[in-house]
Amino acid sequence: MMTNPLDVQRHAFWLRSATGEQSFTWLHQPKRPTINAVGVIIVGPVGPEYMHSHRSLRYLADQLAAKGFACLRYDPLGMGNSSHELADESVARDWLATLAAASDFFRNALNVTDVVLLGLRSGALVASAFIATHPVKGAVFWYPYLKGSAFVRDLQIIDSMLHLSTEGGFIEAGGYPLYPATQTWLEQIDVLTLQAGHLQHALIINNAAQPPTKKLQQALAAQDVVVTQQNLSGLERMMKQAEITEVPEDNIAAIIDWLHTTYAIEQDNPLLDQMHNNDLISDGFREEALTIPAARPLFSVMTEPATPDNQKPLLVFVNGGSGHHVGPNRLYVDVCRRLAKMGFSSVRLDLSNLGDSAQDITPASHNPYALTAPGDIAAAVSFLRENTPYQRFVLSGLCSGAHNSFQAVVQHSLPEVCHIMLINPLAFYWKQGDSLLAPEDSQHEADAAHYSGNVRSLGKWISLFTSPKKLRNALAFAVRLVQKKLIRLGKQLAGALGFVQLSPLEKDLLSLNQRGTRVTLLIGETEPGYRLLMAQAGATVKQQVAKGQMHIAIIKDGDHTFSSLASRRQLIDLFIEQYKL
């Protein structure tokens, strides 16, 4: 159980549906004697917007609980910490079974008989399909897709923008593959022809940045549903990537005001001190929610084999960027569950300012390179060493997760960490003032790759000299390049004269080697991580690789978050291979 300053308690558990699948679920519950007689189920987006909207939905659920509404939010089956796979033909049908189980949970655990479904974006499609066949009295359509075919088309556009081509009929969808059976199921949904059934009240929030429409309002009103509609801005800000996403507080205030106006009756609040059947039990592994006590408690999920072996090291995954602990495209979950089937245990950790550990939504709160990050990791390792049977650890993470894992062992020693596995690092020493998306050194290496790749193209030269902005950027890069070349020449000259000058990265890599901490880097083919590593510690890296003290692998066609299924599978295979060494 986790609490927050709003005097709200959160319970994490896996909710089992009638199909046997288990959805990772959070109950946000008011800590007061009474509760609203209506429960709220948040039906979040499927696909890429799942990750982008996580912070906003967590904040919304907390605010709802603070105002007296018990609220459930969950990972769709096949995504996040839930069971199932997106490739399974039954996954879309089972999304509806999750909503049925959530409704039953309110009735059986909290004595709340009526629910409001709050569907965000593609979540509105799933909510609509459920409303058509189940007794739901209230609904919020938040920036809804009105047709499943429009949602499928948008995912196809993502593939086109990323230049992804696939075989087998599935859509890559930015890392959340949509398979034919699910495409067909979604394309059959038309919210405008929804049979409202028992629906009595609805709130529609449309995007103020688009031409106003009353189509859904009119369709529901024709079925005697009392409809409130608002046109608000905020969708674009909410759906930016996790590092720069903004919570649309005015949207959330509008939702809460409508709920309070529409549903005013309260009843006794049976506060739940603990959740029963908390764990996910699957073929070959089990998972449990684990809160690590600290000044700011750290939320995590532990995955263990059916028969744990504490003689093997425990993997600790650290947030990739500002995303939560499941990793981009469910990468961390897939790695951990596959390792568990091979006998290895793991923990997916949210740093104190990120994911489900976070308590607020200020811009500084979701800095992926927070100064507290190395200390959070050290505290987690210490807790796990003292409170579990595991005594050896492997740290890993993507992007800032790589930086923070590296800094944790550099700043805090951590002799129990025998291996760090860094995925697509953009910085080894992030500095205050650096961009969250492209730290200075990483941006320089990315620019170097860009210009070197275009130097023989006449068209690129013509484009350069006909665009003042491109020309200014190229000149600025040239100045930085000369400066860095001069610094390197100076170091080489000093070395020739007998003055050995090691870079900070070389010193730290040598120190890790002396402690017996192995270093592995897994880098996407299009990423600047390898150039960054060699620019800062090339000579030492070559020596350590030659001696087998460091391993570097380049993943073909891998982008920053391994959006394509082929690159993600290759990464996971290489990760497993290196982890077992």
Side-chain angles (χ1 to χ4, degrees):
M1 181 182 73
M2 297 191 73
T3 59
N4 67 21
L6 291 173
D7 207 24
V8 168
Q9 65 184 25
R10 306 176 190 161
H11 295 280
F13 63 106
W14 278 265
L15 180 68
R16 184 181 295 274
S17 70
T19 65
E21 298 295 339
Q22 293 178 259
S23 298
F24 179 71
T25 304
W26 280 95
L27 168 65
H28 296 246
Q29 191 177 14
K31 292 180 65 177
R32 64 188 214 183
T34 60
I35 193 172
N36 195 283
V38 170
V40 180
I41 303 173
I42 296 177
V43 190
V46 297
E49 290 183 331
Y50 156 80
M51 181 66 79
H52 297 172
S53 63
H54 182 271
R55 182 176 298 112
S56 293
L57 295 186
R58 188 206 79 231
Y59 179 77
L60 168 63
D62 275 345
Q63 294 298 315
L64 285 169
K67 299 299 183 181
F69 291 87
C71 180
L72 287 178
R73 61 181 173 97
Y74 65 91
D75 290 345
L77 292 173
M79 298 174 59
N81 293 311
S82 294
S83 68
H84 229 336
E85 299 293 335
L86 290 177
D88 293 336
E89 291 190 357
S90 65
V91 69
R93 180 201 68 203
D94 291 344
W95 288 340
L96 301 183
T98 296
L99 289 176
S103 299
D104 290 343
F105 173 86
F106 271 121
R107 182 171 54 256
N108 298 330
L110 299 178
N111 196 30
V112 171
T113 57
D114 293 329
V115 297
V116 171
L117 296 190
L118 191 156
L120 173 62
R121 301 292 284 152
S122 55
L125 299 170
V126 180
S128 297
F130 186 79
I131 289 169
T133 55
H134 292 78
V136 176
K137 292 188 176 182
V140 178
F141 299 91
W142 192 9
Y143 300 130
Y145 274 96
L146 298 181
K147 294 180 182 292
S149 57
F151 173 59
V152 172
R153 185 177 64 250
D154 281 354
L155 296 184
Q156 291 170 331
I157 291 172
I158 292 176
D159 276 13
S160 177
M161 292 175 62
L162 294 174
H163 306 291
L164 296 174
S165 60
T166 57
E167 299 178 0
F170 69 92
I171 302 171
E172 290 275 15
Y176 297 84
L178 196 67
Y179 290 83
T182 308
Q183 292 178 43
T184 300
W185 186 85
L186 287 166
E187 287 172 336
Q188 292 172 347
I189 299 176
D190 183 346
V191 182
L192 296 177
T193 63
L194 165 69
Q195 295 302 307
H198 295 78
L199 195 64
Q200 298 175 352
H201 298 273
L203 169 65
I204 303 168
I205 297 179
N206 286 327
N207 188 0
Q210 295 178 345
T213 176
K214 293 186 177 181
K215 290 182 178 180
L216 180 56
Q217 181 181 17
Q218 292 168 346
L220 293 175
Q223 300 180 65
D224 297 324
V225 178
V226 179
V227 182
T228 301
Q229 177 163 302
Q230 297 194 39
N231 298 321
L232 300 174
S233 61
L235 173 60
E236 292 78 10
R237 290 180 284 117
M238 174 169 46
M239 291 304 178
K240 293 178 181 178
Q241 67 186 76
E243 289 79 7
I244 55 176
T245 186
E246 298 176 34
V247 174
E249 296 183 71
D250 57 340
N251 285 225
I252 290 172
I255 291 168
I256 292 173
D257 287 346
W258 177 80
L259 284 167
H260 261 301
T261 301
T262 308
Y263 304 100
I265 299 175
E266 294 195 345
Q267 63 185 48
D268 290 341
N269 181 15
L271 275 169
L272 303 180
D273 294 327
Q274 61 183 358
M275 303 300 300
H276 299 289
N277 302 319
N278 179 59
D279 300 347
L280 170 68
I281 307 297
S282 189
D283 181 25
F285 68 90
R286 62 180 290 275
E287 291 188 341
E288 65 172 320
L290 180 65
T291 299
I292 297 174
R296 286 168 57 95
L298 306 172
F299 179 77
S300 65
V301 173
M302 174 173 275
T303 305
E304 291 187 297
T307 305
D309 183 353
N310 56 45
Q311 298 303 306
K312 295 178 178 177
L314 176 72
L315 170 64
V316 178
F317 257 130
V318 181
N319 304 77
S322 294
H324 62 298
H325 57 272
V326 302
N329 318 322
R330 206 193 196 188
L331 175 64
Y332 292 3
V333 177
D334 289 341
V335 170
C336 291
R337 291 179 179 176
R338 184 164 160 190
L339 279 172
K341 292 179 179 181
M342 302 172 68
F344 294 91
S345 300
S346 57
V347 167
R348 305 189 288 277
L349 176 70
D350 274 336
L351 299 174
S352 62
N353 62 314
L354 298 177
D356 288 311
S357 296
Q359 303 291 343
D360 53 55
I361 57 166
T362 59
S365 72
H366 52 267
N367 179 357
Y369 296 96
L371 296 177
T372 53
D376 285 345
I377 297 170
V381 169
S382 176
F383 173 85
L384 293 167
R385 186 189 68 245
E386 295 172 3
N387 294 275
T388 73
Y390 303 97
Q391 298 300 303
R392 293 190 302 139
F393 298 86
V394 176
L395 296 183
S396 186
L398 181 144
C399 186
S400 63
H403 168 277
N404 293 331
S405 297
F406 178 74
Q407 286 298 320
V409 294
V410 166
Q411 295 183 27
H412 297 274
S413 183
L414 302 182
E416 55 272 86
V417 174
C418 58
H419 192 177
I420 56 174
M421 303 184 69
L422 313 181
I423 307 171
N424 278 351
L426 292 182
F428 293 98
Y429 305 94
W430 189 86
K431 306 179 293 297
Q432 292 295 324
D434 277 358
S435 165
L436 296 180
L437 301 181
E440 181 181 352
D441 289 336
S442 176
Q443 186 60 56
H444 174 81
E445 299 305 332
D447 290 343
H450 171 75
Y451 288 119
S452 63
N454 293 330
V455 71
R456 296 183 181 180
S457 170
L458 178 60
K460 296 295 184 181
W461 280 103
I462 293 173
S463 175
L464 176 65
F465 284 106
T466 55
S467 170
K469 181 178 180 181
K470 290 182 179 179
L471 185 58
R472 285 196 301 270
N473 290 341
L475 291 174
F477 167 75
V479 171
R480 293 196 303 272
L481 181 63
V482 170
Q483 290 173 338
K484 289 180 178 292
K485 291 286 187 182
L486 290 173
I487 292 173
R488 290 174 190 172
L489 285 172
K491 289 182 177 179
Q492 290 174 1
L493 179 60
L497 296 174
F499 299 101
V500 178
Q501 290 187 313
L502 296 178
S503 70
L505 182 55
E506 287 178 304
K507 292 177 182 177
D508 286 334
L509 289 175
L510 289 170
S511 176
L512 291 178
N513 176 250
Q514 291 172 357
R515 294 186 228 160
T517 304
R518 189 165 182 264
V519 179
T520 294
L521 286 99
L522 303 173
I523 301 173
E525 185 178 33
T526 64
E527 287 295 293
Y530 180 73
R531 298 174 69 101
L532 178 69
L533 177 71
M534 299 308 291
Q536 295 186 13
T540 297
V541 168
K542 290 177 181 177
Q543 292 172 3
Q544 292 195 343
V545 169
K547 295 177 181 179
Q549 299 161 346
M550 177 186 289
H551 181 81
I552 302 172
I554 306 298
I555 289 84
K556 186 178 185 300
D557 297 327
D559 60 15
H560 191 57
T561 57
F562 300 92
S563 301
S564 72
L565 187 60
S567 67
R568 201 155 57 253
R569 285 174 172 169
Q570 184 186 1
L571 169 67
I572 293 173
D573 286 344
L574 287 169
F575 191 101
I576 302 291
E577 176 185 306
Q578 289 300 310
Y579 187 86
K580 293 190 299 180
L581 293 179

